[in-house]
Amino acid sequence: MSIFAIVALSLNVVTGAAGIVSLATGAFFGLGAYTTAILCKAGYPSLAAQLAGVTIAAVLSIVIALPALRVRGVFLLLVTIAVQIIFTVIAQSWISVTGGDAGISRIPPYAPFGVPLRGVAFLIVCIVEAAIVYEFCRQLMRSPFGAVLRGLRDDETGSAALGKNVGAAKITAFAVSGAGAAFAGSLYAHYTAFVDPFSFDLSVSILMFLIVILGGAGTANGPLVGVLVLTLLPEIFKFLPLPPGVAAAARQLLYGVLLVAVMYFRPQGILSTAPGARPIGAIRT
Amino acid sequence: MRFHNRSVVRGWMPALLAVLAFLALPAWGQAPSGDARKLGIMLPLTGNSGKLGQIMLEGATVAIEQINASGGAGGRPLVLAVEDSQALSKPGIDGFRKLVDIERVDTIITGWTAVVVATAPLADESKTFLMSASTAAPALRNISPYFQSSWMFDDETIRLLLPYARNELKVQRLAIMPVVNDLGVGLAKSVRSEWQKLGSNVIAEESVQVTETNFRSILLKLFESKPDAIYITGNGKQSAQIIRQARDLGYKGVFLSYGAMEDPEMLTIGDRAERSFYSSPIYDPAAPTAQSKQFVDGFQKRFGRAPNVHQANHYDLVYIYKLAIDGLVKQGKPISGVNVRDYVAANMSRYEGAAGEYAFNFKDGSVLRSSVVKTVKDGKFVKVGDLN
Amino acid sequence: MLLGSILVDGLVTGCLYALVAVGFSLLWWLTGIIHIAHGAVYLIAGYTMFALAVSLGLPFAVAIAGATVVAVVGGAAIQQVIYRPFQRRAATEDAIITVSLGILIIVQYLLVIIFGPEGVSIDAGLRKPLLADGPRVLDRFSLIAVLGASVAIFGLHFLLRRTRLGKSMRAAAENDSLAEVLGLPIKRIQMIAHALAAAMVVPAAVLFLCDTGVHPPEALHLVLMAAVVAILGGKGSVLGALVGGVVVGIAESGMVFIVDAGWRQLITFTLLYVLLLLRPQGLFGTKAV
């Protein structure tokens, strides 16, 4: 769960603060996971693999975002969806590298500085790393940079007119979000010891998005609340006598219901102090 | 409706995290329930292969009933702990974890290449014995010391089927339409090399996505090379779709595949399914052995129809487990995945079951069985020839 | 001959995409809503058709009519019950997209839970070639698809250009506040647009049903393709949707020639990426995006 928290926190920077809806999170999450899987199995140390994943993700985020600077609103959303799907397709088809649909298994445990971590020890390290990311994002959003991002969300043209470098801000936000997701992805790969294309597809991106808006986009603690709710809520299904195969569909159904419900009743999320009905995105033109 | 403000959240947040950290510890095993022994079984029960998986489960169910009616396994009743793998890796892993961590099984009957590839490493770690009567990919050879198949790896069946195609079906121009996954890649490789050994090269090959439903353009491209036969590697439902679309486009040649073609989905496309040939372990419901009669009668009584090879296979797997348990109890050994596997390897390298004879090779997890060629005729799967 | 067959096959698929896209495009242009839930309407239409024609055994024509009614009601309901409250609150574009996506997910998984994940299909025998020696892809299905799509889309185009309703719609699309001030019944116009969009998707759903089937997990992908086609053809351009659909359909079919299975999807979405960057107004749209 702390792993998802990391992803949510970084997504929050882009979506919550800057108001850009990105559905490519799953792709970057997966990028970190696959990089770790491939490198660690080839014998590289975990931290190096993690760093590699984060760097690649950051670079790729910048590469993808750069041409998309002029693109606004729904078009940008479609761009991120395109990126997400491209990632899933590559993961499925580049069999020699990614193992295709069967994925990569037997990933060694997380071993920072050569010490393999399992069970409780791993959990503690994840929580610590999540706390670090949390603090980092919080500071980021309090900084002048954070203000620029919020300016982006509320009124992009205005910010540009005031001389803020809107483009650079957007790109940095994307890079942070991508890097954060990749960071979490590498932890995830160690945790499950198995990666495949379906763990990092569009539905994961949608889930991350839901987590962010549920908790309150743009707030520091929002993503945490979101992660809490969305990890615990589906556990209810374990107690219901559902026929096989229904449980997974029911969980997705729940996400759909929550998407509608959040937007309908409390679009700013549970924790946000922002005025209602204006959670993300610029004023409708 | 603001019911939290920041300081409250800040206060209970770390406490909550600590509580959740505690909850996340994987110490939630349930005590084994009652007297019964549990045998794990994880097959696709929903999804594209769902119908086939359910059929297989039926075979296992008959075995359970008969075993319990005659004293159980090692003196205790035997029950199945059932999980749905959907033939996918992720649900397979989830199902595996549930069976091993919560239900505490020592052996799982499972199948489908993707699922086994994903769960074999886990089986290594937890020392769970995996048995399968529904995995075909040559890549599974040697995948784990805890994996044993009772279904022939299909590189071997290809070796048997292709000469039949060449000699009996008079196939000269062979094309392949593999699915982009481990199984497809492995089978395509076997087809290519075996056909080459018979003196010609595969004339065309077009790969297909797992989730593809519209094969028309791919088929059109293949037809340009005028193949007499096309080897397809998908599951029954996908094969049925491909054949349906190909026949509608006017393809008159033959289709070749492996045992997964014996899937109820193939019977939904009418007479288009004819002239499709696949290899399968021999199964004759009228075989005179005692085990076979017992199975066929029991199945007929329970389900009101005759069983097929898949059901017989899974019946046999359950019985193999029961016999291993009986043996271990007699030897006074504890029941565990390792012991079950060792017992089977030591005592059952040749096994005579309801589905015929098995010659197991425990070194690499493979098996040899008599194989036949079958086809679809008049809405039924019928045998047309022997392969070995 | 192969090229011809592939072109025809692509044309047919493209017409189906166009039917789905035109409703999407129309709603986007008129109401500014990215109607992801259009996929939900498609699913509802397909499953209703199946239920009526197969489970209840009704004759085809009756079933199609029934499916149309249900789809139109569904589309209008989404507008009335879901979108209207948001519009009244001046909700952001992103909020409405999110809700739309939520609706699609809900419908998709409800269908999966009730009917199973395999989808439904009808074997209506439409795919047998008409001429024994002629091109293989020339079958009843192809004819119905191409003719049907053309008639429907040209009809819609005519509606928009020549009728009073069409003129009202165009006015509303250009400037809805002004139009409202001038007395146009904006709410009713939007409702009619939703009904039209839903009606347009019904033939596509029926055709898909008779061919490869209607599968809930494919709904989102289909909406994405519709979005691609709508963007390619230009927001609001009905004819553009037809042209865009055909282009995309042929491109998809043609790629079999050049590229292996997995990479085809890759190319489609890379092209989408490029398209969004370079020419978001598509082939027929104006620059005001």
Side-chain angles (χ1 to χ4, degrees), chain B residues 46-48 180 206-209 211-214 216-218 220-221 223-224 237 241 244-245 247-251 268-269 272, chain C residues 1-2 5-6 9 13 117-118 121-123 125 127-129 136-137 210-212 215 218 253 256-258 260-262 264-265:
Chain B
T46 56
N48 283 347
V180 177
E206 286 302 322
S207 55
V208 175
Q209 280 281 56
T211 47
E212 189 71 79
T213 48
N214 185 350
R216 258 176 278 277
S217 5
I218 304 170
L220 284 172
K221 191 166 171 207
F223 293 161
E224 283 291 287
K237 179 149 187 168
Q241 276 275 52
R244 173 175 150 181
Q245 293 174 9
R247 296 284 182 223
D248 282 341
L249 281 175
Y251 177 64
T268 62
I269 56 177
R272 296 185 189 91
Chain C
M1 189 44 151
L2 174 63
S5 299
I6 291 199
D9 191 52
T13 318
E118 299 113 33
S121 66
I122 300 180
D123 191 355
R127 278 271 174 182
K128 296 237 156 55
R136 305 258 183 82
V137 282
C210 295
D211 185 26
T212 51
H215 310 270
E218 283 178 2
S253 275
V256 171
F257 255 126
I258 324 171
D260 261 354
R264 284 175 218 140
Q265 258 204 319

Side-chain angles (χ1 to χ4, degrees), chain A residues 229-248:
Chain A
V229 172
L230 282 166
T231 320
L232 295 181
L233 212 46
E235 297 297 308
I236 298 180
F237 290 123
K238 288 218 178 117
F239 296 102
L240 297 176
L242 292 171
V246 174

